Amino acid sequence: FFFTSSTNCITSAAVAGSALVATSCADDLDLSNPDGYDAGNFWRTEANFTGNLVALMNQWRGFDKTTLFYTGEFRTDYYWPHSGTDGSGLRETMWPENAIDYTTPGLTNFGGYYGMISNCNTFLYYDEERGDVMSEQCREYLRGMIYGMRAYCYFQIHKLYGSGPLRIKPDVLLGNYDEVALQMPRATAEEILAQIKSDIDASLAHFNAAGNYSNSLYSGNRGHNFWTKAATEMLAGEVYLWSGKVSTLDHQADPADVAKAKTYFTNVLNNYGFSLMPTFEDAINGNKSANTEVILATYYSETEATTNWFNYITYDPTTGGSPNNFWSCVEKDGTTWSTTANRLTYWYDPLNNTKERNTFYNERMTGQQHQAVRNAYWYRFDQEDSRIKQFQPIYLIKPEEKAADLQYIPNFDFNDHILAGCYVWKYHGSMGTGGRMIGTNEMPYYRLAQVYLNLAEIANYEGNNSDVVRYINAIRERAYGSNWDVTKYGYTAGDFKANEIAILQESAKEFFQEGKRWWDLRRMTAVKGGQDSDHLIFRPEGCIGYGLTVGPNMYEVTANYDQLGTFTIETNTPVLDYATQKHLVLYPLDKTLLDGDKLLRQNPGYEAPDGQAWGQ
């Protein structure tokens, strides 16, 4: 149970986010409910309060697409905005093109995070008024959750917009229905960061006061489907690492914050019993209740699975122009090659000439290809790296092979064929009704693997090459498994820039489709303590193909397959051009938002109607 707002009478989108129970602008608004289910009658028992947290975590899943995919993933150079390998048109290509401006802002209403902030504010209000119906341990634990969740939302607003209105009270709930009075200017970036850090401190203090409190509602899947103290410490590490390395609006990066970040990440590593799962596959698709690596994730049951973002980024390999134009070197049995059956059912290991059943695409989800992965990303992986099995590469069939038996290409050499592209199956889902796979996977927000790579980044900042090597190799060793050979695949430390690039590239391989890369590019830098232009999002070293040796097979094909049109692999193109696109690191405030609240000011570099520019 949680409250939502109506915007019929409160036109400002920012104000609407705070309108938790308003449904009319009449002066004599009656908020009572004769059936007894209004806010005044709800907050009466401990079960009401704990149940509200269940509802809020359900609401949290609404951020999966925004947080994990759009803002953290899709704007990066993982993806390309041309036609799909299967011949279909791709969706929402404005994101990989970074075609964002005042009229097409990508996000509206501060990404929708004020709705969750408002519900957190409402909880804290009723906790203050009626929280004595709970046991003290329960009350402290729930406060820890709420302060952590509110801090997370404000941190997203800070990263996305630099700042926003600082709303920490449920104004409408307290009787303020005046549209003009509810308007609020944006706080400074420093003020937003101070509030985030204050909420983090409050969250940890309340969790500590809760002692060993436990609740059966929150205990499933090792408790990682609900906000926890470990999640707050992960957030704290992210916040301090970010504020220590990234300058935003009036905030200047403070190197002292990097050391604070280390304390929080080290606590997560050592104090909660988390450990890396034995294999990468186990970490992503293993038994949820036995997963020792996931710290926070949203979960989708079979009845909910068709609506999550997992479905949105999974491809059907039999649509468009794929059949009879493309061939996959991983399919070796030949029996499933046809225009109607699924070809992509085996992973072929060219190292030892063995094949392994791929149960995910044995029965597949249907629909066209929605997004296309750049071929350069595929080439980042060694064949011995188990993480390469997230992808199904397909190759352009040569004219002489089309005339041959299409069921099998003897002596296939993937280095001799043009790579058409890759399909993705990172999240395997489960078998649903009607014989098709559905996206029942958890969507991870925090995994322990992130702690290792964040600590490697901090060690690089400290000049501690020994720890840089230790943390990177811990991730690589798990990825290579039985193929691990430290002399061949182990990392050898270099200077600051070389280490930073290596950490970025390792993160790219580990966290594909987990919403990390955009923020890594924004935060990481080629020069310690350098200028804004030194962040890897503006540098050729941040390009997904940087460091690759381009061979004759490294191409991305266009929709005109018969012409064999190609785009060469990019190896040194920054995601953003600093001279012309530096403003794109922050999102613009949308027109509806600015029209509805005249106190708001537009971010630098974007059109500002009526002179509504930041700093004025």
Side-chain angles (χ1 to χ4, degrees):
F1 184 91
F2 58 91
F3 301 102
T4 56
S5 61
S6 167
T7 57
N8 292 333
C9 55
I10 301 179
T11 57
S12 165
V15 173
S18 68
L20 299 179
V21 294
T23 55
S24 171
C25 283
D27 293 336
D28 58 348
L29 183 66
D30 183 3
L31 296 180
S32 66
N33 186 328
D35 294 326
Y37 289 104
D38 66 351
N41 287 307
F42 175 73
W43 305 92
R44 297 293 185 184
T45 67
E46 182 170 300
N48 289 161
F49 281 91
T50 56
N52 179 261
L53 262 299
V54 175
L56 289 183
M57 289 309 300
N58 182 61
Q59 182 189 7
W60 191 277
R61 295 186 301 180
F63 296 131
D64 285 358
K65 186 180 289 187
T66 299
T67 303
L68 299 180
F69 188 55
Y70 283 150
T71 61
E73 181 89 10
F74 198 19
R75 289 184 67 186
T76 71
D77 52 355
Y78 278 143
Y79 302 92
W80 67 324
H82 307 293
S83 61
T85 301
D86 65 0
S88 63
L90 301 176
R91 297 187 183 183
E92 301 184 86
T93 56
M94 61 165 284
W95 295 92
E97 290 177 330
N98 279 293
I100 292 174
D101 56 34
Y102 169 69
T103 57
T104 54
L107 301 178
T108 59
N109 191 19
F110 290 103
Y113 287 101
Y114 278 104
M116 177 64 76
I117 290 170
S118 296
N119 285 330
C120 290
N121 291 341
T122 298
F123 183 98
L124 291 173
Y125 171 79
Y126 280 110
D127 169 73
E128 184 69 25
E129 294 293 312
R130 302 176 186 176
D132 56 3
V133 301
M134 294 182 276
S135 71
E136 192 59 26
Q137 276 190 310
C138 175
R139 188 177 189 182
E140 292 288 359
Y141 193 90
L142 298 190
R143 286 170 171 171
M145 295 174 72
I146 287 292
Y147 278 110
M149 293 162 69
R150 188 171 73 175
Y152 182 93
C153 292
Y154 269 121
F155 184 47
Q156 304 315 306
I157 290 170
H158 172 63
K159 292 192 299 180
L160 294 168
Y161 293 92
S163 74
L166 191 54
R167 298 187 179 276
I168 57 174
K169 294 184 181 299
D171 297 328
V172 174
L173 188 70
L174 297 176
N176 185 357
Y177 308 119
D178 185 272
E179 177 184 338
V180 176
L182 282 170
Q183 294 183 3
M184 181 182 291
R186 297 167 69 185
T188 66
E190 283 289 0
E191 288 169 339
I192 290 290
L193 274 170
Q195 183 62 48
I196 294 167
K197 293 173 181 178
S198 175
D199 278 356
I200 286 171
D201 290 343
S203 174
L204 293 175
H206 287 302
F207 274 126
N208 288 337
N212 60 355
Y213 172 80
S214 63
N215 183 316
S216 61
L217 281 172
Y218 309 152
S219 63
N221 291 349
R222 294 175 56 88
H224 60 238
N225 295 141
F226 287 87
W227 195 272
T228 61
K229 182 183 176 184
T232 296
E233 295 229 55
M234 283 295 297
L235 172 63
E238 285 191 317
V239 168
Y240 281 95
L241 185 57
W242 184 272
S243 64
K245 296 182 73 173
V246 181
S247 296
T248 306
L249 298 177
D250 60 289
H251 168 71
Q252 294 298 309
D254 183 358
D257 279 359
V258 177
K260 295 177 183 178
K262 180 179 181 180
T263 298
Y264 292 112
F265 286 129
T266 303
N267 286 344
V268 176
L269 181 64
N270 296 331
N271 297 335
Y272 294 92
F274 295 113
S275 60
L276 294 178
M277 293 294 287
T279 68
F280 179 76
E281 175 67 14
D282 290 335
I284 303 302
N285 297 301
N287 185 300
K288 300 174 184 64
S289 62
N291 195 313
T292 60
E293 181 169 341
V294 174
I295 298 166
L296 178 68
T298 54
Y299 173 69
Y300 294 84
S301 68
E302 183 173 334
T303 58
E304 301 165 321
T306 57
T307 60
N308 71 31
W309 74 292
F310 167 76
N311 282 5
Y312 189 75
I313 56 176
T314 302
Y315 320 143
D316 179 356
T318 60
T319 60
S322 291
N324 299 322
N325 286 293
F326 299 106
W327 187 80
S328 173
C329 71
V330 301
E331 177 56 77
K332 298 296 288 186
D333 70 345
T335 60
T336 56
W337 178 271
S338 74
T339 58
T340 57
N342 176 23
R343 300 176 287 126
L344 309 180
T345 57
Y346 287 93
W347 175 273
Y348 176 65
D349 183 352
L351 297 175
N352 55 22
N353 196 33
T354 61
K355 61 185 180 183
E356 173 186 325
R357 189 75 177 182
N358 168 22
T359 57
F360 177 71
Y361 270 124
N362 184 40
E363 296 290 348
R364 67 194 181 282
M365 304 171 73
T366 58
Q368 71 174 36
Q369 181 172 1
H370 295 165
Q371 280 83 40
V373 178
R374 289 184 182 271
N375 289 354
Y377 183 52
W378 160 260
Y379 286 109
R380 288 245 65 94
F381 293 86
D382 296 319
Q383 291 294 312
E384 296 88 350
D385 187 336
S386 66
R387 294 170 298 191
I388 201 172
K389 295 186 181 181
Q390 299 173 83
F391 310 99
Q392 190 81 329
I394 57 175
Y395 292 82
L396 194 65
I397 297 175
K398 298 177 181 179
E400 63 272 19
E401 293 169 339
K402 287 186 179 183
D405 182 1
L406 292 181
Q407 290 186 343
Y408 184 71
I409 298 177
N411 302 317
F412 180 87
D413 182 354
F414 64 84
N415 289 313
D416 187 45
H417 283 69
I418 293 177
L419 179 67
C422 290
Y423 294 109
V424 183
W425 72 76
K426 178 169 185 172
Y427 302 102
H428 290 187
S430 61
M431 183 64 70
T433 58
R436 67 188 283 243
M437 303 298 289
I438 57 175
T440 53
N441 273 74
E442 293 184 323
M443 297 291 103
Y445 279 70
Y446 292 135
R447 287 196 287 122
L448 189 65
Q450 179 185 341
V451 175
Y452 280 84
L453 293 181
N454 284 153
L455 286 173
E457 183 180 345
I458 292 169
N460 189 40
Y461 199 83
E462 297 172 331
N464 183 348
N465 275 0
S466 176
D467 276 357
V468 171
V469 170
R470 178 163 67 96
Y471 288 125
I472 290 179
N473 282 350
I475 299 301
R476 289 190 180 180
E477 183 174 1
R478 195 265 296 273
Y480 284 83
S482 61
N483 294 320
W484 176 247
D485 181 344
V486 68
T487 63
K488 186 176 181 180
Y489 304 115
Y491 180 63
T492 300
D495 60 14
F496 178 88
K497 183 171 75 171
N499 291 344
E500 199 88 342
I501 293 167
I503 296 165
L504 174 73
Q505 292 180 350
E506 200 65 38
S507 180
K509 288 186 281 190
E510 181 72 21
F511 296 115
F512 179 69
Q513 293 186 344
E514 294 184 51
K516 306 295 183 188
R517 180 163 173 80
W518 178 264
W519 308 120
D520 286 346
L521 288 164
R522 288 269 283 113
R523 185 186 66 251
M524 302 181 79
T525 180
V527 179
K528 178 181 176 180
Q531 305 299 312
D532 287 347
S533 58
D534 292 316
H535 285 286
L536 294 180
I537 199 165
F538 301 119
R539 298 277 300 227
E541 297 92 340
C543 177
I544 196 65
Y546 181 77
L548 291 176
T549 300
V550 179
N553 62 317
M554 288 189 172
Y555 292 94
E556 292 173 328
V557 298
T558 67
N560 192 353
Y561 305 119
D562 292 335
Q563 297 288 325
L564 299 187
T566 60
F567 294 103
T568 58
I569 291 288
E570 296 288 351
T571 59
N572 61 358
T573 303
V575 174
L576 295 179
D577 175 69
Y578 185 76
T580 62
Q581 297 178 303
K582 61 183 177 180
H583 63 289
L584 291 177
V585 297
L586 297 179
Y587 282 78
L589 275 66
D590 55 279
K591 184 177 187 300
T592 300
L593 200 60
L594 292 173
D595 287 347
D597 192 333
K598 298 303 180 182
L599 298 181
L600 294 175
R601 295 293 178 262
Q602 180 63 283
N603 269 330
Y606 294 103
E607 180 182 350
D610 302 325
Q612 295 174 321
W614 175 261
Q616 297 180 356

